[in-house]
Amino acid sequence: MRGTDDASRRSTHRPGRSTARIPVYPRVPTGPLRLPSTSFAGRPRVPEDPGAAEATTTPHTLPRLVSADPALPPDAGSVPVEPVPPGPGDGDVRDDRDQDAGERERLRARAEHFSPEDEVLAAARERAAEHGIVPVGVGAAAALTFLAAAGRARAVVEIGTGAGVGTISLLRGMPREGLLTSIDTEVSHQRLTRVSCAEAGFGSGRVRMITGRALEVLPRLSDSAYDLVLVDAATVEYPLYLTEAIRLLRPGGVVVLDNVCWTGRVTDPARRDAISAALRETVRMVRTDERLAPLLLPLSDGLLCASLLG
Ligand SMILES: C[S@@+](CC[C@H](N)C(=O)[O-])C[C@H]1O[C@@H](n2cnc3c(N)ncnc32)[C@H](O)[C@@H]1O
């Protein structure tokens, strides 16, 4: 495994707090998770994900949106709205709603491509396609840059390096002294990302590549030491990545999970496969965890975000 830190860095350095040294990656055995015991009361919680299985329309709910563009994901769930006042006839009410749904779809398509990509990211996407890697979408990439910039993310973990689209997007938002730790099982993917990063003007000192299974690497990263964690690797493992990500984040830090709509399968109650089940469980965990402020961004294939309160 590459990129492990020596023992001398283990006890003193906390990424996100210092600008001079890289985050701790101690060679400690995997132990029980040390999750904060603090409870954040006062915010009402939803008991379950209505978007996971809601297929019917109620008087207070818009029907699920169906995209005219097959590349766009369907809505992650029904959209609560004010009750529609009675019109001259039922048909008029339904027409209003259809128009509203069309506007929402147009807005979503515009949001997806609001920040156009440059040639560097286009080249990284091409590299990904050549090697059968699915990178984060255009809208999701812009969101990653935004979130890294807004949070001044100095210490970032990326679970699933791929060919570097997510890596470059994150680095572009991070301050110059920031360090991104990127984990992937495939060293060949990490080599592609090195090429992509070099083309984007990011030297090797900005990214610490760790080759290995995420669930073996993550427990060795320090608690409460990271500003942002991007989850984009083995989808069936998302619930476990989320648990690890919460442990890694400092208060105010953000976890971002890509592909939570899984091209509409997550909201289809007929889908009983392991990936859909894992994603539904992940969404449920994010929505019900009182330590988190959740946000689902309808970009790309669904970008689920949560900030650690406290
Ligand atoms: C969807 S791609 C990541 C794309 C990347 N975020 C981007 O935007 O270019 C998923 C990556 O996760 C890696 N991966 C799959 N299972 C993994 C695991 N258990 N641990 C670590 N990496 C894994 C794959 O090799 C692949 O490179």
Side-chain angles (χ1 to χ4, degrees), residues 95-293:
D95 289 346
D96 286 351
R97 290 180 175 186
D98 287 348
Q99 193 178 1
D100 193 25
E103 285 303 324
R104 284 172 190 271
E105 280 310 309
R106 277 189 284 279
L107 176 59
R108 180 174 295 187
R110 181 154 188 257
E112 181 66 23
H113 297 282
F114 187 69
S115 309
E117 288 192 337
D118 62 6
E119 288 173 1
V120 171
L121 277 184
R125 281 191 190 284
E126 255 184 67
R127 220 166 268 130
E130 281 164 15
H131 292 81
I133 300 166
V134 181
V136 295
V138 175
L144 292 177
T145 304
F146 172 85
L147 290 167
R152 288 196 57 74
R154 287 190 182 81
V156 173
V157 175
E158 179 185 43
I159 307 174
T161 312
V165 176
T167 316
I168 293 171
S169 303
L170 288 164
L171 285 168
R172 284 180 167 171
M174 294 166 63
R176 295 174 72 85
E177 70 273 18
L179 181 82
L180 188 151
T181 299
S182 192
I183 305 165
D184 204 295
T185 45
E186 304 301 321
V187 72
S188 60
H189 294 183
Q190 296 185 320
R191 280 196 202 106
L192 295 174
T193 293
R194 286 279 186 219
V195 173
S196 300
C197 285
E199 284 183 6
F202 297 112
S204 57
R206 295 294 307 278
V207 182
R208 175 175 64 159
M209 297 285 187
I210 300 176
T211 310
R213 286 198 60 224
L215 291 179
E216 288 167 10
V217 175
L218 290 168
R220 302 182 199 171
L221 302 183
S222 298
D223 294 7
S224 308
Y226 293 87
D227 304 303
L228 195 155
V229 178
L230 169 62
V231 174
D232 192 17
T235 322
V236 288
E237 295 181 350
Y238 268 33
L240 298 168
Y241 296 160
L242 175 63
T243 301
E244 284 294 300
I246 293 170
R247 180 183 63 77
L248 295 179
L249 288 177
R250 59 152 176 88
V254 172
V255 56
V256 183
L257 302 110
D258 192 31
N259 299 116
V260 295
C261 290
W262 202 241
T263 58
R265 280 170 277 190
V266 172
T267 55
D268 181 351
R271 296 282 184 170
R272 302 271 175 217
D273 57 283
I275 291 178
S276 301
L279 288 173
R280 283 187 200 116
E281 171 61 6
T282 307
V283 173
R284 188 200 63 76
M285 287 167 71
V286 167
R287 298 186 93 220
T288 56
D289 192 322
E290 294 195 344
R291 295 166 299 173
L292 301 176

